[in-house]
Amino acid sequence: MTATDNLTRTRRTIDAVWRMESAKVVAVLARMLSGDIGLAEELAQDALVTALEQWPDKGIPDNPGAWLMATAKHRAIDRLRHGKLAEEKHAEIARELDEQQEARVDDMLAALDDDIGDDLLRLMFTACHPVLSPEARVALTLRLLGGLTTDEIARAFLVPEPTIAQRIVRAKRTLAEANVVFELPRGEDRAARLVSVLDVIYLVFNEGYSATSGEDWMRPALCDEALRLGRILAELAPFDAEVHGLVALMEIQASRLHARTDKGGAPILLLEQNRAHWDWLLVERGLKALARAEKLGGDRGTYQLQAAIAACHARARRAEDTDWVRIAALYAELAQTAPSPIVDLNGAVAIAMAFGAQAGLDLIDRLVEEPALRNYHFLPAVRGDLLEKLGRFDEARAEFERASALTRNAREQRLMRERAEKCGPLATRVH
């Protein structure tokens, strides 16, 4: 192996270790630094730089994650020792240093990492705090918990890198100015904050599953990050049914990723997908997560209901075997739990599949003037599909053209234009 090959291998290892371990490192440092997330991330980055400097020459440590953690903690301890902190904090750190000098590094890490699970939860709840805007929550979550660089986040969401950098800086400043405490909230506050955490994770997943703009219909890397965060949260909050509901939903939806586009990247809609190409291991994981959520009992939340809908599709080995009547009933339940025009729209699609295109169109026509759906491309896309099934091709063509104009995703634009062309004059209509 050449020196260049060794350097490349080492850098890839560092990248992988950082992606897996950075959230733990930042979380532990934030606890040590009284909740100063900005400083915690800065010191974690210092440890990363040290790894980049030392590992190519000295070799990769036997336990690279522990090495990063130990190095970052020493940075934090040095900062605390030289900072102007309260005497109590000085005494606490002094005692910690004495213990560390007498114990082996492994023992020190074990002692300091007893609360690593709680630290990660604290970091999640802080990064997704409602005081931040949704955009800021997403950026900060991907930065702190996903280990993504600002450039990677910017490319994922097709915005300039300085915009993402500013969002992250403002988010940290907002948290500091609002005196947000680095702690696990309790009671009603915890429940409210957990909703924010789940929403952010699913927002990241959805952007990966169906990109709002750009040339690619999907960004699988974002789905992977959201799934990773969801799985971590499920281990840290094992008795919360909605957490398992979200994981179930993402596992099942992620199972379809390889079947959602052809070799050229063009979209393949759900009912046209080759289900043999679905990842059935992910389906199994999703169904197990859903069963785990249902076993916990209580009222079904929005993510459990959406996961139950996804499970109906997953259990149908052929599109024509889908239980649309049950899906329609689940959407009706979801509309009661979390009323939304988008839920009503999806419910109308299920009604159309279960009871005929006209039944669905009657419901959708009531949503045409809904302000929240005015610029939502899926509404004219669905309406066009139902009009086409009813043989009202001129109207269908107009709806597909409108859907194409509303979406910012290039792949969806082309798909809608193609469907509009198929609804052209009878002499040229594609069958």
Side-chain angles (χ1 to χ4, degrees):
M1 181 181 293
T2 67
T4 300
D5 291 338
N6 182 61
L7 180 61
T8 300
R9 174 178 172 272
T10 301
R11 288 187 175 276
R12 285 177 179 169
T13 299
I14 293 173
D15 287 343
V17 171
W18 178 253
R19 190 63 58 89
M20 291 186 294
E21 302 292 337
S22 61
K24 297 176 185 177
V25 174
V26 173
V28 169
L29 294 186
R31 169 164 56 90
M32 293 176 66
L33 298 167
S34 302
D36 190 335
I37 287 179
L39 181 56
E41 189 190 10
E42 177 186 327
L43 296 178
Q45 290 285 340
D46 286 347
L48 174 63
V49 170
T50 302
L52 289 168
E53 292 172 347
Q54 295 185 10
W55 291 9
D57 294 330
K58 297 183 178 181
I60 300 168
D62 292 337
N63 190 337
W67 188 99
L68 269 181
M69 183 73 80
T71 301
K73 286 174 180 174
H74 285 304
R75 294 282 192 279
I77 291 168
D78 288 342
R79 182 65 65 96
L80 288 170
R81 291 183 67 186
H82 294 93
K84 295 181 179 180
L85 299 177
E87 292 183 1
E88 292 84 357
K89 196 65 180 179
H90 276 301
E92 177 186 337
I93 298 305
R95 287 194 301 271
E96 188 175 278
L97 283 171
D98 289 340
E99 292 171 1
Q100 289 167 0
Q101 289 172 354
E102 295 173 1
R104 296 176 57 193
V105 171
D106 288 346
D107 293 336
M108 176 198 74
L109 291 172
L112 286 174
D113 288 347
D114 282 345
D115 298 324
I116 185 64
D118 282 350
D119 288 337
L120 279 170
L121 271 179
R122 290 184 186 102
L123 189 60
M124 281 191 181
F125 278 101
T126 302
C128 299
H129 196 285
V131 73
L132 302 176
S133 69
E135 295 82 6
R137 293 177 211 166
V138 168
L140 194 59
T141 298
L142 288 177
R143 174 71 172 184
L144 297 180
L145 290 154
L148 274 66
T149 65
T150 52
D151 177 61
E152 288 173 322
I153 300 169
R155 282 190 281 112
F157 287 93
L158 300 179
V159 296
E161 184 177 356
T163 300
I164 293 296
Q166 290 168 8
R167 284 180 189 172
I168 293 172
V169 169
R170 283 198 297 267
K172 294 175 186 176
R173 184 185 307 129
T174 299
L175 292 173
E177 292 174 350
N179 293 317
V180 173
V181 181
F182 188 72
E183 66 179 2
L184 284 177
R186 298 181 181 278
E188 294 182 1
D189 186 35
R190 179 167 181 166
R193 295 262 292 275
L194 181 60
V195 171
S196 180
V197 172
L198 298 179
D199 287 348
V200 167
I201 293 175
Y202 194 47
L203 181 61
V204 172
F205 182 89
N206 265 341
E207 181 60 29
Y209 190 77
S210 185
T212 55
S213 58
E215 286 294 324
D216 297 320
W217 198 34
M218 299 181 299
R219 299 194 182 97
L222 284 180
C223 293
D224 291 342
E225 285 301 325
L227 256 176
R228 189 171 69 86
L229 293 175
R231 289 166 180 164
I232 290 172
L233 186 56
E235 292 303 314
L236 299 177
F239 302 111
D240 192 287
E242 268 293 80
V243 171
H244 297 301
L246 174 60
V247 172
L249 175 59
M250 293 192 297
E251 298 276 15
I252 294 172
Q253 287 185 315
S255 72
R256 308 173 196 155
L257 288 177
H258 295 303
R260 295 189 74 231
T261 57
D262 63 18
K263 292 182 179 179
I268 301 176
L269 301 180
L270 176 61
L271 299 183
E272 299 168 0
Q273 290 168 16
N274 183 343
R275 301 192 176 202
H277 294 164
W278 286 4
D279 187 330
W280 290 97
L281 176 60
L282 286 180
V283 170
E284 182 180 351
R285 289 178 62 114
L287 294 177
K288 285 182 178 178
L290 180 58
R292 192 174 179 184
E294 292 172 342
K295 187 176 180 180
L296 289 169
D299 295 335
R300 291 195 289 190
T302 57
Y303 291 114
Q304 291 179 73
L305 288 169
Q306 290 181 75
I309 292 168
C312 287
H313 292 293
R315 292 186 175 110
R317 291 293 178 135
R318 301 180 305 165
E320 55 267 33
D321 296 333
T322 305
D323 188 348
W324 286 105
V325 173
R326 173 161 173 73
I327 290 175
L330 287 167
Y331 270 119
E333 185 178 347
L334 183 60
Q336 293 294 319
T337 302
S340 155
I342 292 179
V343 171
D344 292 338
L345 176 58
N346 286 321
V349 172
I351 290 292
M353 297 301 297
F355 304 108
Q358 187 61 57
L361 185 62
D362 290 342
L363 293 174
I364 287 173
D365 283 346
R366 301 174 193 172
L367 299 172
V368 170
E369 299 302 322
E370 173 62 48
L373 300 178
R374 191 161 294 156
N375 295 313
Y376 186 47
H377 74 278
F378 191 56
L379 174 60
V382 169
R383 194 165 186 275
D385 180 69
L386 297 182
L387 288 167
E388 182 181 17
K389 288 176 179 176
L390 293 169
R392 295 161 62 177
F393 297 109
D394 289 342
E395 294 171 86
R397 183 176 64 252
E399 291 295 316
F400 287 133
E401 289 172 347
R402 182 166 179 267
S404 177
L406 286 175
T407 183
R408 291 184 292 149
N409 185 279
R411 295 288 185 179
E412 281 191 313
Q413 288 173 351
R414 285 193 284 273
L415 176 64
M416 292 299 105
R417 286 198 297 267
E418 290 171 1
R419 297 205 65 182
E421 290 172 3
K422 291 180 180 180
C423 293
L426 183 60
T428 59
R429 192 172 299 146
V430 179
H431 295 283

